[in-house]
Structures are given as structure tokens and as C-alpha cells.
Amino acid sequence: MRNLMPEPPATLLPADEPAAAALAAADDPTQVAADHPTYSAAWAALAQAALTNGQPVTAYAYARTGYHRGLDQLRRAGWKGHGPVPWSHEANRGFLRCLHALSVAAAEINEADEAARCAQFLRDCDPAAFDALNS
């Protein structure tokens, strides 16, 4: 069945070039998150590092922080709680990576409902993001 309702326009977050450059140059994203606390990509990097180091509770906290910072930015960009958040737009990737890390960390601490909700939210934002982050 084809959906006849128009889909909301894609939400494209604004780029943060200074934060992106700082993260690209950093060996440790901790200072980048401290200097640019609204930059979800720094929180995603911290969450991924914590997951890699077997620290799912820490990863959950980092991912949750980046996720909420990203939600704030999405709302400021006109997002109404649904609609595409394309993986192809580089500035969206920090938020999407936080959402993925939140799902993974939630699963590792036995928060199955949260893990499933986050995974579904990621698919709803952009199936390409789900595929890229789960490959």
C-alpha cells in the first residue's frame, strides 16, 4: 500500500566546522565535548570509545547526552518529532551515531525496550543510517 500523505521535508542540521575540525585533530574527544558541548559527534565518539572499552554504562551516558543535544538542534532546525534525518548529510551523523550508540549500550545493560525504541527511531530517521551503522 502506498502512503498518500506527504512526508515532512528532510531535516538538515547546520554544520559546526570549528567543532568538526577539533574532533578530526583530537586523539581524545573528551576536550572537544567539553569545548563544544552541543556537538553530538564528539559525544558519539566518546560513546563509541566506551563501548569499545567494555564500558556500556559510560557509553549510555555519553550517547544519551549527544542524543539530547541533537534533539535540541533538530527541533531548532524545524523537525517536528518525525520525518527524515538523512545520513547523507554529514552534520546529521553525530546525532544518528549517538542514537545508534544509545541502542547498543541500552542492549548491553539489558534495557531491551530502550534498545529497540532507539533502533526503530534510527530506522525511521534514515534506513541508510541504520544499515551503515550496523554493518
Side-chain angles (χ1 to χ4, degrees), residues 49-111:
L51 285 168
T52 299
N53 291 325
Q55 300 171 319
V57 172
T58 302
Y60 186 92
Y62 286 140
R64 171 88 43 208
T65 300
Y67 163 79
H68 281 287
R69 294 302 189 132
L71 284 177
D72 292 344
Q73 291 176 346
L74 284 168
R75 289 181 186 116
R76 280 194 301 275
W79 186 74
K80 304 288 188 224
H82 65 283
V85 180
W87 174 254
S88 60
H89 183 66
E90 186 69 34
N92 289 350
R93 289 187 179 188
F95 168 75
L96 296 167
R97 288 177 49 226
C98 282
L99 186 53
H100 176 259
L102 188 56
S103 177
V104 172
E108 288 189 21
I109 62 172
N110 298 315
E111 286 283 341

Side-chain angles (χ1 to χ4, degrees), residues 2 10 13 16 19 40 42 46 53 56 66 71 73 78 89 95 102-103 109 113-114 118 120 133 135:
R2 196 179 91 138
L13 293 175
D16 185 338
S40 291
L46 287 167
N53 291 325
L71 284 177
Q73 291 176 346
H89 183 66
F95 168 75
L102 188 56
S103 177
I109 62 172
D113 290 344
E114 176 79 350
C118 291
Q120 186 59 54
L133 292 166
S135 60

